[in-house]
Amino acid sequence: MNVLAPQDARPQPGQAHQALAHWLAHRVRTFDQRALGALNPRTSRGQIRKTQAYCEAVRHAETDTDRPAFGLTASLFALYHAALPWRDGVRLYGSGDLGQALRRVGTGAFQGPKDPGCQRLFERLVAPGPLHRKEVLLQHAVMRLRTQDRFPPSWAQLAADLSGWAARGEPVQDAWAASFWTPTHRTRTNGDT
């Protein structure tokens, strides 16, 4: 039996996910506050509105089942970039998955799993449940990243992960957990010099 590591089993960003990330980044680069405001769930009491910007974002999805994930990713992007959009590449496109991003939340020695609030939020995020029940938690996670001036997750990877949220075996949740709980530094072994 070939057991896949969480990173290998989860969906990888394809052309559609990359196209969404480029479309979103272009909204910031061109100062398209109308679209970003229309996508931002904070301007509509936490609800994702089916606006023109939403329709433009979800048209990148290859299947109808992926459309909610693309819409949610777009709304989270707009939330992160609200009022103070960053134009540097790592903030426009993000880096890593949501587990890695949340590992950066907190201060000093109390980051990621060592930050009690972040740990509770993360555990609720990866607990079993449908994606639509995770929207508010995802918004809280993005706001924590924003308010603490931390890099967001890769928006293309987030779109791929949210598209694969309901996959059998929960590979997305497993990959996020591995990223969140695993230290990023390498431990020395007897062979290291």
Side-chain angles (χ1 to χ4, degrees):
M1 180 168 105
N2 184 12
V3 178
L4 296 175
Q7 305 296 341
D8 296 334
R10 72 154 349 127
Q12 295 301 308
Q15 288 181 349
H17 307 105
Q18 297 294 343
L20 174 65
H22 290 306
W23 183 84
L24 291 168
H26 188 71
R27 305 289 62 85
V28 171
R29 286 193 186 112
T30 60
F31 304 97
D32 189 351
Q33 292 300 315
R34 178 203 56 80
L36 290 171
L39 289 167
N40 189 336
R42 295 281 188 211
T43 60
S44 59
R45 295 189 292 213
Q47 300 299 312
I48 297 173
R49 296 178 295 160
K50 307 300 190 272
T51 62
Q52 179 181 351
Y54 173 88
C55 292
E56 289 175 12
V58 300
R59 75 173 162 74
H60 293 93
E62 293 177 333
T63 66
D64 287 343
T65 58
D66 289 344
R67 292 170 65 87
F70 277 58
L72 180 54
T73 301
S75 75
L76 295 170
F77 177 92
L79 183 62
Y80 184 83
H81 286 281
L84 296 170
W86 288 283
R87 287 172 183 78
D88 59 291
V90 74
R91 294 197 193 266
L92 281 178
Y93 290 96
S95 175
D97 65 25
L98 190 61
Q100 290 168 319
L102 288 176
R103 190 169 179 78
R104 299 186 284 264
V105 167
T107 57
F110 298 100
Q111 288 186 306
K114 294 179 182 175
D115 177 300
C118 185
Q119 178 183 341
R120 283 190 302 274
L121 173 62
F122 183 77
E123 288 174 348
R124 290 177 61 203
L125 267 171
V126 296
L131 182 58
H132 72 274
R133 296 226 171 128
K134 304 295 180 174
E135 287 180 15
V136 172
L137 295 171
L138 289 163
Q139 291 171 12
H140 287 301
V142 167
M143 285 305 296
R144 294 273 321 251
L145 293 166
R146 177 187 160 83
T147 59
Q148 291 192 8
D149 195 24
R150 302 293 192 254
F151 297 137
S154 161
W155 300 109
Q157 183 64 61
L158 186 61
D161 286 348
L162 297 180
S163 292
W165 187 260
R168 172 181 245 152
E170 299 182 335
V172 171
Q173 296 86 330
D174 288 347
W176 286 6
S179 297
F180 183 75
W181 295 106
T182 306
T184 54
H185 66 280
R186 222 179 84 174
T187 57
R188 288 186 84 168
T189 62
N190 291 339
D192 289 343
T193 55

